[in-house]
Amino acid sequence: MPKVRTTSLSRRGLLAAGGAVGLGAVLAACGEEKKGSGSGSSSEKSGPWTFKDDRGLTAKAKSTPKNIVAFTGVAAALHDYGIEVKGVFGPTKTKDGKADVQAGDLDVSKVEILGNVWGEFNVEKYAALGPELLVTAMWEKDALWYVPDESKDKILKLAPSVALWAAQTTIPKAIQRHEDLAASLGADVKAAKITAAKARFEKAAARLRAAAKSKPNIKVMIGSASQDLFYVSLAKTSADTLYFQELGVKFVEPKVNAAGFFEELSWENVDKYDADIIMMDNRSSALQPDALTSKPTWVQLPAVKAGQVIPRTTEPIYSYDKCAPILEDLAKAIEDAKKAG
């Protein structure tokens, strides 16, 4: 995922490295605008196209963009609405060549990968695609996720760009904004598949709310692991966990650093907080639980001993289809949980 920096970490870099946004490698996210390629539905539009993004900026084109380039997770969400992209940037393939978790149902063999890790973005390949729109996420105001600072000016000159909040929002709001964009690009958002996914999502939200209400003493910790540090994230800073909090889930509240997203703990101090369930960052940039068995303090945590460690989709794909299972899995974990911490 992101690139490791040992000095002068930006706030975005720390965010990416820690529990809130990437880990393992320290991402320093910043991005900007671009063009895209969207295919998609029967409701093709002619004439000028405009879309006001979450920066408050309006992207414009003479016609609906077709050659779309997007951050991998956003591309995966657009795919769920029937909008296909020509190119992607961000975690797309794992080291063994398989689709990264953030690629969702994208056929990663059919998209041009402009960069697979933090700091990579092939501007020449991007230009060769003839981009008409660039779309990415935004964890901090005006910072385009996975668009490198050093090349963003060149990138943004080539096509209009759209940035959609991944923080300072909630899952339903984020899904709606991705749906708004997909609709503007020609998606049929009333299609049976999409309405069925929305119904499943709403049912899952009700189930999670009921589970949290039935187990008010169960406390959840949001974790992300690297070789040297364990990051505990603050629930209200991310779209997923803020929404879970709104549904009644109780979270550990760490003493966050100046960036405001998470607290870094040494492995010697990983038992600082009591937790009954630990949600662990599932991104390829973070160490997964099976890689932590050699750390004595980890295996002694009550939640670990109780078998109450679950994956966390730290960067959700914002479609109803991909977010419904996230709610269902957390609901089941709380329903099945015993007091451990």
Side-chain angles (χ1 to χ4, degrees), residues 228-230 264-271 297:
D228 298 322
L229 294 171
F230 184 79
E264 301 108 323
L265 298 176
S266 67
W267 283 103
E268 290 77 12
N269 296 314
V270 74
D271 60 353
T297 50

Side-chain angles (χ1 to χ4, degrees), residues 65-85:
K66 297 296 170 194
N67 291 336
I68 300 168
V69 173
F71 171 69
T72 303
V74 177
L78 291 175
H79 170 83
D80 287 351
Y81 284 101
I83 302 297
E84 304 300 341
V85 305

Side-chain angles (χ1 to χ4, degrees), residues 102-177:
Q102 294 191 62
D105 293 334
L106 281 178
D107 185 341
V108 297
S109 69
K110 293 184 178 179
V111 292
E112 184 75 51
I113 300 173
L114 305 179
N116 197 59
V117 298
W118 183 250
E120 280 185 2
F121 193 114
N122 191 312
V123 181
E124 289 72 26
K125 281 187 178 180
Y126 176 60
L129 290 174
E132 297 170 347
L133 180 67
L134 176 139
V135 190
T136 191
M138 183 169 64
W139 285 83
E140 292 188 300
K141 188 74 167 74
D142 300 329
L144 302 191
W145 196 229
Y146 270 81
V147 177
D149 285 336
E150 51 274 23
S151 55
K152 71 176 182 180
D153 290 343
K154 291 181 181 178
I155 292 167
L156 294 176
K157 287 177 182 176
L158 295 171
S161 65
V162 164
L164 299 177
W165 273 120
Q168 302 185 39
T169 187
T170 62
I171 286 180
K173 291 177 182 177
I175 292 175
Q176 185 61 58
R177 292 296 287 146

Side-chain angles (χ1 to χ4, degrees), residues 258-324:
F261 288 95
F262 53 82
E263 178 179 2
E264 301 108 323
L265 298 176
S266 67
W267 283 103
E268 290 77 12
N269 296 314
V270 74
D271 60 353
K272 179 176 180 179
Y273 299 106
D274 291 331
D276 306 296
I277 296 172
I278 303 175
M279 299 177 70
M280 289 293 289
D281 188 347
N282 74 339
R283 290 171 301 179
S284 54
S285 58
L287 293 181
Q288 299 305 303
D290 59 4
L292 302 177
T293 55
S294 63
K295 295 188 180 296
T297 50
W298 168 259
V299 297
Q300 290 302 313
L301 292 177
V304 176
K305 293 169 76 173
Q308 295 176 174
V309 178
I310 63 173
R312 178 201 175 197
T313 304
T314 306
E315 293 186 57
I317 294 167
Y318 289 114
S319 68
Y320 291 113
D321 182 71
K322 295 301 182 293
C323 288

